[in-house]
Structure formats: C-alpha cells, structure tokens
Amino acid sequence: MSMLCLGIESTAHTFGIGIVSGEGEVLANAWDIYRPPLGWGIKPMDAATHHREVRDRLLEQVLSDTGKTLDDMDLVAFSQGPGLPPCLYVGLEFAQTLSGRGRPLVGVNHCIAHIEIGRLASRQKNPVVLYVSGANTQILSFVEGRYRCFGETMDIGIGNALDKFGREIGLEFPAGPKIESLAKGGSYQELPYSVKGMDLSFSGIVTEASRRVRQGQNKRDMCFSLQETLFAMATEVTERALAHTRKDEVLLTGGVAANNRLQGMLEIMCRERGAEYSVVPTELAGDNGAMIAWTGILVHRSGMRTISKILPRQRTDDVDVGWL
Ligand code: AMP
Ligand code: MG
C-alpha cells in the first residue's frame, strides 16, 4: 500500500476519523454526531465538548477496524475550515497530537473535501458540483486553478433550512431525513420561491412554511412543499451553471445529497440536458473523516504547504487546487 492518511473531521456537529489509502480506498470511517437538546440548534461549546469526549474511542475504532497502528500512518489531515471555531480547535489539537514525530500535518478545506470524496466515488473529472450540507449550499466548478463558486445561498444552508423547519414542527436534529419521510404523504402547496440571479435565499421560505404550520396547515403537505421548493431552486441554478460552463457532468454532494427527491430532480435535469449525473454514496455524504483523509492525500501530493491553524471563515474559492 502506497500511503495511508488519517483524516479528522470536526467542523460542526460531527466528529469523524477516517483512514484512506493513496489509491483512494476507504479503509475505515467512523463518526459520532453531537445532538443538541430538542428545540435547539448546535451549541458550539457543547459540540466541542462532545468531540473531546468521543475522539479517543473513534481513534481506537478506526485503528482496530484496519488492524493498523498510528505508526502506519504516513500523513495526518484535519478539517481546517470553514466551521465553528471551538469545534475546529478540537480537530486541530488532536491532529497535532497524532502527527507528532515528523509526520506531515495537512490542513484541508471542508467543502473541497465534500467535492473530492464525491469525485473519487463517481470518477468524474470535471463536474458542476451541487454541494448541499447543513451550513453550506454552493454551486461550484473547477476553473483556472480553483473551485469557483457560480451560485450560493445568501443566508442559511439548505440543511439548516430543513433543520430549522423541523425544529418548528417538533423534530429532532438532524431533521432532513425525517422531513423526507413525512413528505411522502404530502401534497403541493405554493411557497415563495427565491432565486436571485445565481444565488439562493432560504430563510424567508422557512419562516413562511413555519407560519403556515402554526396556522394549522398539514405538516406533511408543508414538508413536501418545502422540499419541492428548496430542491427546485437548487436544481435551477445547477442547470444554469451547467449551461454557462458547457460542462457535461453533475455531481451532487454533502449531507443533503442523501435525499431521494433531490437526487431525482437533478437526475431528470441531467437526462434532459444530456449530462452525466452522479451522487456521492450515502455513507460518504455527511461530514466524515474519510473525505478529509482523501483530500489530505491530494493536497500533500500536490506539494501544497499547510499552516497549522484553523480557518473558520475560509471559502471554497479561497483555496488553490494544485492537484487538478
Ligand atoms: P453535513 O453538514 O454535510 O454533515 O450535512 C448534514 C445536513 O444534512 C443536516 O442539515 C441534515 O438535516 C441533512 N440531511 C441528512 N440526510 C438528509 C436527507 N435524507 N434529506 C435531507 N437532508 C438531509
Ligand atoms: Mg459538511
């Protein structure tokens, strides 16, 4: 085996550790998700405490899953940003401890890791990417050295939008999967639709859907209508990016990529435009350490140097992509 990288994810709700080989084989991938109290969003300090509590157990687990020791690791990669500073610190601290004795430490942009793990699984070369997660929603593609952002949310990420609405109707975090199943029995009620050029705005729609439920409208109908509206908006902008860039591959990635309805909408759009559609496998969709490990390998091979600190506000398009 050419090289082994241990990757650490800790940007927000999830603490994860993965081990990936230089050939792109995911050898282990373990995580534990912080759950806020019912009615709350993520409390950053509590999430960081959670991460400190679970990290040693997860490390033991990935080492025993692979039958390896820390000494077998050639590289240690960590999620550098964007994310919640208290959570990012736990990852950096742990990565510094584990890298020790001259083993390279590689900082990875979390959003780019979602793209690269999707590209690894799909074998796509140069897709338009719809990256949909809790905090982020971006339509990206590689142009002249960087993943350029063609459109993005102007307020909250699509996963946060679902989680906020879920909180309103009494669902626990993460609400996305529960809304998906409730939506199955629902019918369509019109909601505001908010695409501004190539950008998206979700929070007003969540406010309106929540108001309607408080006024007595059927929860299933609102779950269905919210999904239809938010996913149609994201699909519309992805289609326009595909047309403008003249590319012929689309990759869906991030935690919300696990949603069947969103997958279906993008697939239809791609079929109609003659583009190849691909979605990240569900077990690699949410935040995880394997995506950080794999991207760490790409960053390391490209010879890029890492500054050993967290970058809570780093944007996807701030990062030079030396491996493409
Ligand atoms: P990430 O931040 O990439 O780990 O993604 C987490 C987000 O994905 C949370 O906001 C979840 O509610 C959302 N999510 C997970 N599974 C689904 C699903 N099946 N449908 C919609 N959203 C989902
Ligand atoms: Mg994420």
Side-chain angles (χ1 to χ4, degrees):
M1 206 153 277
S2 61
M3 171 189 271
L4 289 179
C5 181
L6 182 124
I8 298 165
E9 162 56 33
S10 76
T11 53
H13 42 72
T14 301
F15 192 86
I17 307 184
I19 298 177
V20 175
S21 76
E23 289 80 26
E25 197 186 340
V26 176
L27 302 173
N29 201 18
W31 63 82
D32 196 291
I33 302 178
Y34 154 78
R35 315 259 168 198
L38 188 62
W40 284 79
I42 299 174
K43 297 166 127 185
M45 297 304 286
D46 291 358
T49 303
H50 162 269
H51 297 352
R52 283 203 180 81
E53 283 167 4
V54 302
R55 61 188 181 186
D56 291 326
R57 171 174 60 79
L58 292 173
L59 177 64
E60 271 172 39
Q61 188 179 331
V62 293
L63 292 176
S64 88
D65 287 351
T66 52
K68 303 283 179 195
T69 67
L70 262 187
D71 283 337
D72 296 322
M73 301 300 131
D74 301 290
L75 280 179
V76 174
F78 70 101
S79 208
Q80 201 161 26
L84 303 169
C87 300
L88 290 168
Y89 268 119
V90 181
L92 171 64
E93 225 173 61
F94 201 47
Q96 283 173 327
T97 311
L98 300 184
S99 72
R101 278 173 288 160
R103 192 178 296 123
L105 182 64
V106 184
V108 167
N109 176 283
H110 174 89
C111 311
I112 290 183
H114 276 292
I115 302 175
E116 291 304 346
I117 200 71
R119 243 170 30 85
L120 173 69
S122 68
R123 304 187 181 282
Q124 285 186 335
K125 290 210 162 58
N126 193 1
V128 168
V129 181
L130 175 58
Y131 162 44
V132 279
S133 68
N136 301 288
T137 297
Q138 293 186 318
I139 294 87
L140 303 146
S141 203
F142 181 78
V143 179
E144 293 183 2
R146 289 189 180 186
Y147 283 111
R148 309 279 169 181
C149 186
F150 289 87
E152 65 189 313
T153 179
M154 300 190 297
D155 41 53
I156 54 178
I158 206 162
N160 277 170
L162 293 168
D163 294 335
K164 270 186 171 210
F165 177 72
R167 214 142 69 212
E168 194 65 45
I169 64 170
L171 303 177
E172 270 178 51
F173 175 88
K178 294 156 197 132
I179 291 174
E180 178 170 17
S181 49
L182 283 171
K184 293 219 165 83
S187 70
Y188 181 70
Q189 312 285 322
E190 196 168 329
L191 282 170
Y193 184 96
S194 190
V195 173
K196 317 251 167 117
M198 290 292 280
D199 291 328
L200 304 156
S201 171
F202 299 120
S203 60
I205 303 172
V206 172
T207 304
E208 176 60 13
S210 305
R211 194 179 63 84
R212 298 253 198 105
V213 171
R214 283 199 295 274
Q215 286 175 343
Q217 230 176 56
N218 183 287
K219 284 183 188 175
R220 287 181 182 275
D221 289 352
M222 270 305 115
C223 287
F224 179 81
S225 308
L226 187 64
Q227 282 204 156
E228 292 304 297
T229 306
L230 304 186
F231 297 164
M233 287 163 53
T235 304
E236 178 193 326
V237 176
T238 308
E239 177 169 19
R240 201 147 50 238
L242 195 60
H244 285 179
T245 57
R246 298 171 166 247
K247 296 197 181 188
D248 57 5
E249 297 167 329
V250 170
L251 171 64
L252 175 60
T253 194
V256 185
N259 188 287
N260 268 305
R261 179 60 181 138
L262 176 58
Q263 293 174 4
M265 276 193 201
L266 273 183
E267 197 172 1
I268 292 167
M269 182 276 280
C270 288
R271 199 183 313 134
E272 289 179 350
R273 298 199 66 90
E276 185 197 290
Y277 159 79
S278 191
V279 58
V280 69
T282 299
E283 69 275 14
L284 296 171
D287 292 351
N288 66 86
M291 70 182 195
I292 304 301
W294 172 239
T295 310
I297 290 172
L298 297 176
V299 170
H300 178 73
R301 280 188 187 147
S302 73
M304 291 165 67
R305 300 200 40 96
T306 288
I307 34 167
S308 185
K309 62 177 197 183
I310 63 166
L311 301 169
R313 297 191 160 270
Q314 187 184 51
R315 284 182 53 86
T316 318
D317 50 13
D318 284 339
V319 180
D320 287 317
V321 173
W323 57 90
L324 279 177

